[in-house]
Amino acid sequence: MSSRRSGGHGNPHGLHYVSLDHMWDDLVVGLRQVFSTEDMEKKRYIELYTHVYNYCTSVSQNNSSRQGPSSSTSSASRASSSKRLNNSNGTQLVGLELYKKLKAYMQDHLKIIKENGKLLVGEDILSYYTKQWCEFRFSAKVLNGICAYLNRHWVKRECDEGRKGIFEIYILALSIWRNDLFEPLHKQVTDAVLKMVEKERNGETINTHLISGVLRSYVEIGVGASGDDEIHRVRSNVADSSTAVGGSPSLAVPARSDSAVDRRSGGVSLSATTIGPESNPDYQMMLLVYHNKFEIPFLESTKRYYTTESMEFLAQNPVTEYMKKAEARLMEEEKRVQTYLDESTHKSLTETCEFVLIERHLEQFQSEFQVLLNGEKNEDLGRMYKLVSRINEGPTELRNLLEKHIYGQGDCTIRQCAETAVNDPNLYVKTILEVHRKYEELVRTSFENDAGFVTALDKACNRFINKNQVTIEAKSSSKSPELLARYCDSLLRSSKVSEDSELEVLLKEVMTVFRYIEDKDVFQTFYSKFLARRLVNHSSASDDAEAQMISRLKQSCGFEYTSKLQRMFQDVGVSKDLNDQFRAFIVTQETPLDIDFTIQVLSAGSWPFAQSTTFGLPLELEKSFNAFQHFYTRQHCGRVINWLYHMSRAEVHSNCFKLRYTFQASTFQMAILLQYNGEPSHSVQHLADNTKLKMDILTQVLSHLMRSKLLLCEDVTDASELKPEHVLNLNLNYKSKKLRVNINKPVKTEQRQEQESTHRHIEDDRKMQIQAAIVRIMKMRKTLKHQNLISETISQLTQRFRPRVQMIKKCIDTLIDKEYLERVDGEKDTYNYLA
């Protein structure tokens, strides 16, 4: 049918009234065709559209025909609304009766579908439900296209004016499906879905397309399911392409060019409703049906299934096998979400599975963790970490267990070699590095460098490095930094550091251990002493290695920590220039020296050398000695030179043996050998008088010369038994395989005294640093409680060393005596700062 225009005084716009009864019979025939499996030709589709159009644009005989299903509006309100019925050309829009009839038709249609599915169960109900849903959904979209004009005008106006219970035709169809078919059948449909999921979990193959089809319908029919107060009105977009039919307005037509519309292929350009979180801001509200009717029972079913399975599996299998099972189950559930569940289920399903499969068995995991550590089962440890890390605070206990294990392993490993390692820096440091390297690799590979596990490794290493069997045997908590400094000394003397790649690795390992050292001031003191000796004796294997090591220490501890070390290098460079100037000075004096005389001038505040012992300079050196004194005092007026004889060395050439030997000797050894230029024999007392050396030091020097067979004593063979009257003879039959012989050995007495002096210096320096920290704190706080002062002092000094509480108390008393602080009257545990 098409609209016919006619003129007349009673109908100035030429509109013709179309009775719904007049066109409903033909429309019902079309509806049967739409909701059946028959195809529809394009011409028939347009006819049905025209019926709806003509009815909606006909002249209403009753104003009430535009009211919604719940008409409680007052007469005044209706009169007001009646004025708004006319559009720009005076047309009255009607649609309520048609809307009611369409609704009733779809309800009757679904009654038949419901009756046919009442007795179906299992996969049969799913197949039936999915088939009927797909057909009904497609038919609803076709009907939505036929009623596009009704949607655009009458439905839109009713919605805009706040009428409740009015939807676009497609949404109306979904609502009818939900109320008339889904509600009676949903329990048997949901039960069938849950049984199929359980079959799949048991390893059976299922038709996942059936489940995904059912669950998509659960989501889509949620439109408008939240109640009358929050109705979801989803607008559909009518196709842009249109064709004018007769004199009627433009209408949507099928996009296909053939003469029939195939309902099974969906080839019609219909009004489509897009359901999804991106296109619909009320997507979460639409999920109410899916959540209440499927997700809640599904999660309960999942919880029951995995609770039973996990308990039975653990009763018959070890934890390691259970972890593989749990890992596989979690992956299966992830795939299940991707295959047929809605994405909104992902979080709740994951949390449910993690609780049942992991959190309930955490104690068993923790018990097994120690076994896996002992057995070095790194792959299983990694699997356990991945599972447990899914649980909030799950890895906490594992970190504690790892820390205890690493500490125990480190302490045990050092205990096994403590007797040797206490005097062997290489063994001690390499033992520490071996333990650290092993567990650092474990943390990196199995625990993915998790910050908590890295912290556990650091804490454990800090404990066993600073307190172990070596520090106990040495009766000193500062033994570890001392041995590390000695290790660095041997390393930087070694030719191994010549290779850049190897140098990088070795220095990195040193800094790894250094990072855990608490008494960094002890390391600094010993390192500076060893560096000074290397620079003075030119025994460093590589200047680049020395510079890199200082650079790393600077990055770790700051500029102040390495300032003296850097000044040492500066002094060495200045000394080279000074030697060149001295040689030029000697040339100008026209009094050449008889020996090759080289000096190093060192700043007293930067170098850790103690004052030398008394020593009588040999006559052979006096000329060179006086010449340099004269040269230096002319250049630097007012400076005082203190000669460090014990750090000096010399080369002595022999002319009394069958072969000409060159001896690398200390200054003290040189002085003794030069005594034998005049006489081949001297008494111990005579040597002491001429060299001015103390007897204990002289004995040590003579001991080295006797061991090297340069001097012989007929009375005793052990230098420790020498007496002042014993005579030492030069061994004129001396032989050596080398022409260049190093007889310069450190004096043990001096070494012991120097070590004791170093530790005393460290203690004194610590006292000054503690006092300085206390003064800084009190100057800022003015008044402070005793315990707070102790805590803040420890906090400030921890980067350099960990001060003992007893030492802090002594320093507080010292500062009170010096009137920096005072105790508050009546409060013994409170201090005031005195400006």
Side-chain angles (χ1 to χ4, degrees):
M1 294 181 183
S2 60
S3 61
R4 295 184 296 277
R5 301 181 182 274
S6 61
H9 298 286
N11 189 5
H13 296 286
L15 293 179
H16 172 68
Y17 173 68
V18 178
S19 170
L20 179 59
D21 296 334
H22 183 72
M23 45 80 74
W24 177 249
D25 291 340
D26 189 50
L27 192 58
V28 167
V29 174
L31 291 176
R32 290 196 190 106
Q33 191 175 1
V34 168
F35 283 94
S36 67
T37 56
E38 299 178 19
D39 294 339
M40 179 182 291
E41 293 186 355
K42 185 188 298 183
K43 180 181 179 182
R44 179 60 175 156
Y45 178 86
I46 295 174
E47 286 178 355
L48 295 176
Y49 180 96
T50 304
H51 282 322
V52 175
Y53 170 81
N54 287 339
Y55 174 72
C56 290
T57 57
S58 67
V59 177
S60 174
Q61 303 300 311
N62 185 358
N63 286 346
S64 64
S65 65
R66 61 170 297 283
Q67 294 176 7
S70 55
S71 180
S72 60
T73 335
S74 66
S75 59
S77 155
R78 286 196 297 270
S80 175
S81 299
S82 178
K83 293 178 183 179
R84 296 192 298 269
L85 291 177
N86 297 329
N87 57 14
S88 59
N89 63 5
T91 303
Q92 282 189 315
L93 300 176
V94 294
L96 176 60
E97 294 302 323
L98 175 60
Y99 186 87
K100 286 181 178 180
K101 284 182 176 291
L102 291 173
K103 181 177 180 180
Y105 179 86
M106 287 187 283
Q107 287 174 332
D108 292 340
H109 176 73
L110 289 180
K111 282 180 184 177
I112 301 171
I113 298 175
K114 179 184 70 175
E115 291 300 322
N116 294 336
K118 268 186 176 180
L119 301 178
L120 298 176
V121 293
E123 193 168 339
D124 292 338
I125 186 63
L126 296 183
S127 300
Y128 179 77
Y129 180 90
T130 304
K131 179 176 181 295
Q132 295 300 327
W133 161 252
C134 291
E135 290 181 356
F136 181 82
R137 181 173 178 270
F138 182 82
S139 299
K141 287 186 177 182
V142 174
L143 179 59
N144 197 63
I146 291 171
C147 298
Y149 194 87
L150 180 70
N151 288 335
R152 282 202 305 269
H153 297 281
W154 184 81
V155 172
K156 180 178 183 300
R157 185 187 62 197
E158 297 298 308
C159 292
D160 290 343
E161 293 185 2
R163 306 289 180 183
K164 294 181 179 180
I166 301 296
F167 304 94
E168 289 187 0
I169 298 303
Y170 178 72
I171 305 302
L172 174 66
L174 296 182
S175 178
I176 294 171
W177 176 277
R178 179 180 67 249
N179 297 325
D180 291 34
L181 184 122
F182 174 77
E183 285 296 338
L185 297 182
H186 80 84
K187 190 174 187 310
Q188 62 197 87
V189 174
T190 301
D191 288 345
V193 171
L194 295 179
K195 287 179 181 178
M196 288 192 71
V197 172
E198 186 171 345
K199 285 182 179 180
E200 186 182 34
R201 286 171 175 161
N202 290 331
E204 299 181 34
T205 303
I206 64 169
N207 186 352
T208 58
H209 294 292
L210 284 178
I211 301 178
S212 62
V214 169
L215 297 185
R216 278 198 297 270
S217 79
Y218 278 41
V219 174
E220 193 162 350
I221 63 177
V223 177
S226 59
D228 290 339
D229 293 334
E230 295 183 28
I231 297 297
H232 299 265
R233 300 176 179 87
V234 182
R235 310 294 183 194
S236 56
N237 297 320
V238 179
D240 292 334
S241 58
S242 59
T243 302
V245 179
S248 62
S250 63
L251 59 140
V253 298
R256 285 180 54 171
S257 59
D258 52 351
S259 60
V261 176
D262 185 354
R263 62 189 273 83
R264 290 165 294 183
S265 65
V268 183
S269 176
L270 302 171
S271 170
T273 303
T274 305
I275 306 295
E278 293 82 15
S279 62
N280 192 339
D282 295 318
Y283 182 64
Q284 293 302 319
M285 296 298 294
M286 291 169 58
L287 290 173
L288 284 175
V289 173
Y290 173 83
H291 175 75
N292 294 330
K293 304 301 183 182
F294 172 75
E295 186 177 298
I296 291 176
F298 170 71
L299 294 177
E300 291 174 352
S301 171
T302 300
K303 187 175 181 179
R304 286 194 301 271
Y305 181 87
Y306 285 129
T307 297
T308 303
E309 183 187 66
S310 61
M311 292 178 68
E312 291 177 353
F313 193 89
L314 274 170
Q316 301 172 8
N317 297 276
V319 175
T320 51
E321 291 302 315
Y322 174 76
M323 290 191 299
K324 295 177 184 177
K325 182 77 172 177
E327 193 175 49
R329 285 302 196 186
L330 290 169
M331 291 176 65
E332 287 175 14
E333 296 303 326
E334 290 278 349
K335 186 178 179 182
R336 195 160 283 120
V337 173
Q338 297 170 8
T339 305
Y340 52 77
L341 299 178
D342 188 79
E343 182 64 28
S344 63
T345 308
H346 181 267
K347 182 180 179 182
S348 53
L349 175 60
T350 302
E351 289 174 351
T352 300
C353 292
E354 288 172 352
F355 173 76
V356 176
L357 295 174
I358 304 171
E359 190 169 355
R360 280 185 170 178
H361 307 290
L362 269 182
E363 289 186 5
Q364 290 168 281
F365 281 24
Q366 292 163 2
S367 300
E368 186 70 14
F369 186 74
Q370 187 62 55
V371 176
L372 297 178
L373 283 174
N374 293 337
E376 299 183 5
K377 305 291 185 181
N378 292 2
E379 184 179 350
D380 289 329
L381 287 169
R383 184 175 291 110
M384 182 179 290
Y385 165 74
K386 289 177 182 177
L387 291 173
V388 172
S389 61
R390 290 170 170 262
I391 307 302
N392 187 30
E393 300 298 328
T396 302
E397 184 60 25
L398 300 189
R399 292 165 187 155
N400 296 335
L401 291 171
L402 179 67
E403 181 184 341
K404 292 177 184 176
H405 179 79
I406 296 175
Y407 171 74
Q409 290 295 307
D411 189 57
C412 180
T413 305
I414 292 177
R415 187 181 292 110
Q416 292 172 358
C417 64
E419 189 174 345
T420 307
V422 71
N423 294 312
D424 188 344
N426 287 347
L427 176 62
Y428 182 71
V429 174
K430 286 179 180 178
T431 301
I432 291 173
L433 288 171
E434 183 179 344
V435 174
H436 181 270
R437 195 180 298 116
K438 175 182 176 180
Y439 289 102
E440 184 184 40
E441 179 69 12
L442 173 66
V443 170
R444 185 181 64 82
T445 56
S446 298
F447 305 128
E448 299 177 356
N449 269 337
D450 179 277
F453 285 90
V454 172
T455 301
L457 170 65
D458 292 342
K459 287 181 178 178
C461 290
N462 183 277
R463 287 173 60 196
F464 81 77
I465 288 174
N466 289 287
K467 186 177 181 180
N468 52 52
Q469 193 61 33
V470 168
T471 62
I472 293 171
E473 289 190 8
K475 297 179 181 179
S476 171
S477 61
S478 60
K479 190 64 179 177
S480 288
E482 179 186 341
L483 288 173
L484 180 62
R486 293 186 184 280
Y487 173 77
C488 290
D489 183 51
S490 64
L491 189 68
L492 294 169
R493 290 174 186 270
S494 171
S495 59
K496 288 183 180 179
V497 298
S498 57
E499 295 291 335
D500 289 342
S501 57
E502 195 170 359
L503 168 65
E504 185 73 20
V505 173
L506 292 171
L507 293 185
K508 185 178 179 181
E509 289 179 343
V510 169
M511 293 307 298
T512 296
V513 181
F514 176 78
R515 185 159 49 95
Y516 298 117
I517 294 293
E518 286 183 352
D519 297 333
K520 290 181 170 58
D521 60 330
V522 176
F523 176 86
Q524 179 193 32
T525 302
F526 279 97
Y527 185 86
S528 63
K529 283 185 175 292
F530 297 141
L531 172 63
R533 286 205 182 104
R534 292 195 299 273
L535 294 177
V536 168
N537 297 328
H538 305 289
S539 58
S540 290
S542 168
D543 289 341
D544 289 339
E546 297 283 6
Q548 282 195 44
M549 184 64 195
I550 292 175
S551 175
R552 288 174 180 268
L553 290 173
K554 183 178 178 181
Q555 288 176 3
S556 178
C557 300
F559 172 77
E560 185 181 354
Y561 191 83
T562 58
S563 58
K564 288 186 178 181
L565 305 182
Q566 290 175 319
R567 285 199 293 269
M568 288 185 200
F569 273 95
Q570 293 173 1
D571 286 348
V572 171
V574 170
S575 293
K576 289 179 181 178
D577 296 336
L578 196 63
N579 276 294
D580 293 337
Q581 295 171 16
F582 177 61
R583 292 189 186 95
F585 171 76
I586 293 300
V587 171
T588 60
Q589 296 297 307
E590 298 182 352
T591 54
L593 303 177
D594 298 329
I595 59 175
D596 183 9
F597 186 73
T598 303
I599 52 87
Q600 285 183 301
V601 178
L602 314 176
S603 303
S606 302
W607 295 74
F609 293 140
Q611 290 293 326
S612 182
T613 184
T614 56
F615 176 64
L617 198 68
L619 294 174
E620 290 84 349
L621 293 179
E622 284 187 356
K623 183 178 180 181
S624 300
F625 179 86
N626 293 331
F628 183 78
Q629 286 271 45
H630 177 62
F631 162 75
Y632 194 78
T633 52
R634 283 182 56 187
Q635 278 203 339
H636 304 284
C637 183
R639 290 189 182 180
V640 178
I641 299 177
N642 294 314
W643 294 87
L644 304 176
Y645 300 115
H646 64 292
M647 296 303 302
S648 303
R649 54 199 177 90
E651 286 189 354
V652 181
H653 301 288
S654 68
N655 296 313
C656 57
F657 307 123
K658 290 182 180 179
L659 298 176
R660 183 178 175 85
Y661 295 104
T662 299
F663 297 104
Q664 293 174 305
S666 68
T667 307
F668 298 157
Q669 290 172 332
M670 174 196 66
I672 291 172
L673 291 175
L674 290 177
Q675 299 298 315
Y676 287 89
N677 279 338
E679 297 290 336
S681 300
H682 291 282
S683 68
V684 174
Q685 186 61 53
H686 183 265
L687 293 174
D689 294 340
N690 286 353
T691 60
K692 303 294 189 295
L693 289 172
K694 294 178 181 179
M695 189 58 70
D696 57 343
I697 296 177
L698 177 62
T699 302
Q700 288 288 335
V701 176
L702 293 174
S703 174
H704 290 308
L705 293 174
M706 288 174 67
R707 286 200 195 99
S708 62
K709 306 299 182 182
L710 278 170
L711 298 181
L712 301 174
C713 181
E714 296 177 356
D715 300 323
V716 295
T717 56
D718 188 357
S720 61
E721 299 176 359
L722 284 174
K723 295 181 179 179
E725 62 272 14
H726 286 155
V727 176
L728 293 170
N729 303 313
L730 182 65
N731 182 14
L732 298 175
N733 297 319
Y734 174 82
K735 291 181 181 179
S736 176
K737 294 180 180 180
K738 298 178 180 179
L739 294 178
R740 190 177 184 85
V741 183
N742 182 15
I743 60 173
N744 185 11
K745 304 293 181 181
V747 179
K748 289 184 179 179
T749 303
E750 276 197 355
Q751 275 188 322
R752 187 167 56 252
Q753 290 175 350
E754 185 178 357
Q755 195 167 356
E756 292 173 356
S757 172
T758 300
H759 283 289
R760 283 197 304 271
H761 172 74
I762 291 170
E763 287 298 310
D764 293 341
D765 189 51
R766 283 185 174 183
K767 289 177 184 177
M768 296 304 297
Q769 290 188 53
I770 293 172
Q771 291 179 28
I774 292 172
V775 170
R776 285 196 302 270
I777 294 168
M778 291 303 299
K779 189 174 183 180
M780 180 174 62
R781 303 288 189 187
K782 303 303 180 184
T783 301
L784 203 61
K785 292 281 187 182
H786 174 80
Q787 195 57 46
N788 293 339
L789 179 57
I790 296 287
S791 300
E792 290 198 31
T793 303
I794 292 174
S795 176
Q796 279 201 13
L797 297 173
T798 300
Q799 292 298 320
R800 284 186 61 85
F801 66 96
R802 190 169 186 83
R804 299 190 304 275
V805 174
Q806 193 61 34
M807 184 181 287
I808 297 175
K809 290 180 179 178
K810 289 182 179 179
C811 290
I812 291 174
D813 292 337
T814 301
L815 290 172
I816 291 174
D817 293 340
K818 293 180 179 179
E819 297 184 353
Y820 282 94
L821 309 178
E822 68 174 1
R823 286 188 173 89
V824 177
D825 293 338
E827 298 182 42
K828 292 183 178 180
D829 64 336
T830 306
Y831 305 102
N832 278 338
Y833 176 70
L834 300 176

